[in-house]
Amino acid sequence: MTRKIGNPRLMTIRETAAEAGVCTRTVRRWIANGLLPVRHLGGSRRLVRIEENVWRAFLREA
């Protein structure tokens, strides 16, 4: 899949958890507490993705 320039990579909760070395429940807590913003896909509140650039910024600030 090719991305257009300027479109951020969207990561799953599982991918972000693996990168951080934490469980998916921890990432879900960060989201629920408003610490990690997400994008909701397809009009669903359950289907979420994290923009890679937002994730990198989150890691820098943590």
Side-chain angles (χ1 to χ4, degrees):
M1 179 170 103
T2 58
R3 291 180 292 148
K4 294 180 184 177
I5 295 176
N7 286 347
R9 175 177 166 242
L10 299 177
M11 302 173 66
T12 65
I13 290 174
R14 182 173 287 164
E15 289 172 328
T16 55
E19 256 192 47
V22 298
C23 69
T24 57
R25 287 175 54 190
T26 299
V27 175
R28 290 182 190 282
R29 261 188 245 116
W30 292 336
I31 293 167
N33 291 330
L35 300 172
L36 184 60
V38 295
R39 291 178 65 183
H40 296 274
L41 302 180
S44 170
R45 298 296 299 167
R46 293 181 52 99
L47 185 58
V48 298
R49 294 293 183 266
I50 298 103
E51 291 184 18
E52 183 177 28
N53 56 346
V54 170
W55 173 240
R56 300 285 174 228
F58 176 82
L59 289 177
R60 281 191 303 273
E61 294 174 10

